[in-house]
Amino acid sequence: MQEASFSNFIRTVFYVIMFYYLFKFLARLFLPMLVKKAVEKAGESFQKQQQYAQDAAWKKAQNNDEIIYKETDAKNPRETKKVGDYVDYEEID
């Protein structure tokens, strides 16, 4: 069984502090590159999904041979929903 000594304790604390500062320094160097790469990858994935959706919509539109045009009469605009009867009130003096 080994006994703990003060010099070993100081050495361990020194290693912990050095590891902390080394990790902090390396994170400042490499973390921005990793984040940039992750954002680019997410952007590419988004573009692929958008392209796939556009291609699918285009193919669906091309396969639909029947085109129906609905002509609405400008003379008869669509009636709004009737909520109730209009009551005209007169003011009595």
Side-chain angles (χ1 to χ4, degrees):
M1 177 182 265
Q2 294 182 350
E3 293 182 14
S5 65
F6 185 72
S7 62
N8 285 341
F9 175 72
I10 296 296
R11 187 182 309 157
T12 303
V13 171
F14 175 74
Y15 286 146
V16 168
I17 291 172
M18 288 305 297
F19 176 77
Y20 170 74
Y21 282 110
L22 181 67
F23 180 76
K24 192 173 168 181
F25 175 74
L26 292 175
R28 283 187 183 179
L29 288 177
F30 295 114
L31 198 59
M33 289 187 287
L34 292 173
V35 170
K36 183 179 178 183
K37 192 169 201 118
V39 167
E40 288 174 355
K41 195 171 189 179
E44 289 174 4
S45 174
F46 179 73
Q47 285 178 348
K48 284 180 183 178
Q49 288 177 355
Q50 289 290 55
Q51 186 65 34
Y52 175 74
Q54 286 177 351
D55 289 345
W58 179 254
K59 287 178 183 177
K60 184 177 179 183
Q62 282 181 338
N63 290 341
N64 191 3
D65 294 336
E66 184 179 333
I67 299 175
I68 300 172
Y69 291 103
K70 242 184 176 179
E71 293 184 18
T72 59
D73 293 337
K75 297 175 188 174
N76 299 329
R78 195 174 79 176
E79 266 189 50
T80 58
K81 184 178 178 182
K82 290 187 179 181
V83 178
D85 294 330
Y86 178 74
V87 179
D88 189 19
Y89 293 100
E90 292 183 14
E91 191 174 319
I92 302 175
D93 290 326

